[in-house]
Amino acid sequence: MDVGSYYNYKADWPFIPDGNGLNDEFFPLDLKQTMINNNLTQKVKFTVIDRSGKPIFVSSSIDNGWKGRDMEGKMVRLNEVYVWKLEFVNELGNPEVYLGTVTAGSN
């Protein structure tokens, strides 16, 4: 069974959702730029998952990154590690899935 391509991806930039306008939103930027350059922005699903395995954020737009809040709008615990998953269809029509972790930091 072919389940598409899976990649582990490390995001090396700070994510500090403190409302000061700097690094308040998380989306894997290198992947976003690649998707824009290759016109792969239509069939996208970006999910952030907490340590219990519960999805706390889901978006179908590369312009809607995670702002450190759960689906109820509550701020998540800071200095915790979250798993993110980015799914999209590549230029050949094949699914691609990228997984990584991000820490919701604080100053």
Side-chain angles (χ1 to χ4, degrees):
M1 175 168 84
D2 181 18
V3 292
S5 300
Y6 287 81
Y7 303 95
N8 286 320
Y9 186 83
K10 185 170 170 105
D12 287 328
W13 56 85
F15 168 60
I16 305 171
D18 58 7
N20 71 356
L22 300 172
N23 303 315
D24 285 334
E25 184 172 298
F26 175 77
F27 194 96
L29 296 178
D30 292 343
L31 290 173
K32 180 178 182 176
Q33 192 58 52
T34 298
M35 294 169 71
I36 291 169
N37 291 347
N38 293 294
N39 197 27
L40 304 174
T41 60
Q42 298 303 311
K43 296 181 180 179
V44 175
K45 183 177 180 184
F46 178 56
T47 307
V48 178
I49 303 158
D50 69 13
R51 67 172 45 189
S52 70
K54 175 184 169 189
I56 58 171
F57 175 80
V58 179
S59 174
S60 60
S61 170
I62 66 169
D63 295 321
N64 185 24
W66 183 45
K67 296 174 181 72
R69 299 191 176 273
D70 65 17
M71 290 193 201
E72 297 173 357
K74 297 177 187 170
M75 182 60 74
V76 298
R77 292 182 63 159
L78 298 180
N79 299 316
E80 294 263 340
V81 177
Y82 297 87
V83 173
W84 59 266
K85 181 178 180 181
L86 178 62
E87 304 168 82
F88 62 93
V89 176
N90 68 22
E91 61 273 9
L92 300 175
N94 298 319
E96 290 195 25
V97 179
Y98 289 81
L99 299 169
T101 59
V102 62
T103 301
S106 63
N107 286 333

